[in-house]
Amino acid sequence: MHEDEIPLTAEVAAERVVALRPDLAGCRLRILPEVGTTSHIVRIGDSLAARFPRRRAEMEQVRRVLEREQRAMTEFARASPVRAPVPEGVGDPGPEFPLPWSLQTWVPGTPATPRGVERCATIAHQLATLIGALRDADPGERRFSGGGRGGRLTDHDDWVAHCLHRSEHLLPVDGLRRMWERARCLPREDPDALCHGDLIPANLLVDGDVAADALDGTGTAPRLVGVLDTGGFGPADPALDLVVAWHLLDTERRSVLREQLQASDLQWARGAAWALEQALGLVWYYESTLPAMADLGRTTLGRLLEDPVLA
């Protein structure tokens, strides 16, 4: 998936897990294929999971990041109205794996897909409740750290230009370039609030019949039952978590989410801008290595091109 990727086998993962938790010796362990873009995800028994970094980095820096993520996960789990992983510690590197890694509880559920629940109003309401609960949590004196999405849109100009260049054979880049030129100039009106920071479908777990037609009531309507990848929980532009509206929902259900959150025109447009910035990086980067992620990018960009919010 990445040029600097660190390989991981089940045997190496088991050795590291037992080194941290000898009581887990003999537990069934399996690496989940094509899950996680920054980590190898390992399921341990029925109640635990491990995340081993995929990309090479400086060891102590990785440890600091993992420890910070575990503090954020604890805070997220307290604030979230749906289940989220609880941290269980940071493991040491070993002879066959060069970096620290993290252990957490397993959250059951089926990962959402870009189209699977797009017409489900229940999911839209639950997402609005989730985002509202996160925003209501107290950030204290913390402010946006200045790294990644969630600060100034213009800080991402170079990245967007790079993505558009790499996508010339894959996407309608002229229209997307014009959309970014409008989006990047949107001002900011809201103070920082606590955000998940990456509400993509793969980080949202649902139950029920994901193929059910939520409009005619057939089957069991899916419900949101879990949120994953919560280590980035922190202060940011509150519009950042609105990306889920274009990643997951159709036009009518986006309106349900917006109305419940009472998002202003500006906040809503900035949410679309963050969704655009994220989606532009998915298609070209994952086209040949993780097609499901590339498909998410195409789906989100298609919804944005059809939505007048950034017209």
Side-chain angles (χ1 to χ4, degrees), residues 72 75 134 137-151 188 191-197 232-238 240:
E75 186 178 13
L134 302 182
D138 183 10
E141 298 299 317
R142 291 172 295 169
R143 297 295 179 267
F144 178 69
S145 66
R149 292 180 297 274
R188 174 84 175 268
D192 286 352
L194 289 174
C195 298
H196 176 283
F233 186 50
D237 178 357
L240 181 59

Side-chain angles (χ1 to χ4, degrees), residues 221-234:
R223 294 185 58 82
L224 182 68
V225 295
V227 185
L228 303 179
D229 200 13
T230 60
F233 186 50

Side-chain angles (χ1 to χ4, degrees), residues 101-163:
W101 53 278
S102 61
L103 185 68
Q104 62 189 49
T105 57
W106 175 264
V107 178
T110 301
T113 61
R115 296 285 188 192
V117 294
E118 65 176 354
R119 297 195 297 168
C120 183
T122 299
I123 294 286
H125 282 300
Q126 287 185 289
L127 287 169
T129 299
L130 170 66
I131 293 170
L134 302 182
R135 290 178 176 181
D136 287 343
D138 183 10
E141 298 299 317
R142 291 172 295 169
R143 297 295 179 267
F144 178 69
S145 66
R149 292 180 297 274
R152 297 184 303 182
L153 287 161
T154 51
D155 288 347
H156 300 266
D157 283 341
D158 290 345
W159 169 248
V160 169
H162 177 71
C163 291

Side-chain angles (χ1 to χ4, degrees), residues 115 118-119 245-246 248-258 268 303 306-308:
R115 296 285 188 192
E118 65 176 354
R119 297 195 297 168
W246 292 271
L248 198 67
L249 303 174
D250 68 4
T251 302
E252 184 176 339
R253 265 47 64 166
R254 287 199 296 274
S255 296
V256 170
L257 183 143
R258 179 181 179 179
W268 192 247
R303 288 174 177 145
E306 294 171 356
D307 194 321

Side-chain angles (χ1 to χ4, degrees), residues 30-93:
R30 58 191 176 98
I31 299 175
L32 304 182
E34 295 191 358
V35 175
T37 57
T38 60
S39 301
H40 299 283
I41 309 300
V42 181
R43 185 167 184 183
I44 307 162
D46 294 327
S47 59
L48 293 172
R51 295 169 60 95
F52 287 80
R54 279 186 177 270
R55 307 184 71 172
R56 299 187 184 278
E58 195 275 320
M59 182 176 66
E60 288 307 316
Q61 180 183 9
V62 171
R63 187 181 298 278
R64 288 192 295 270
V65 169
L66 293 177
E67 290 172 348
R68 182 172 67 245
E69 287 181 349
Q70 294 222 334
R71 292 192 294 271
M73 290 170 64
T74 299
E75 186 178 13
F76 185 98
R78 287 198 299 261
S80 176
V82 296
R83 286 185 67 177
V86 176
E88 293 281 335
V90 174
D92 291 328

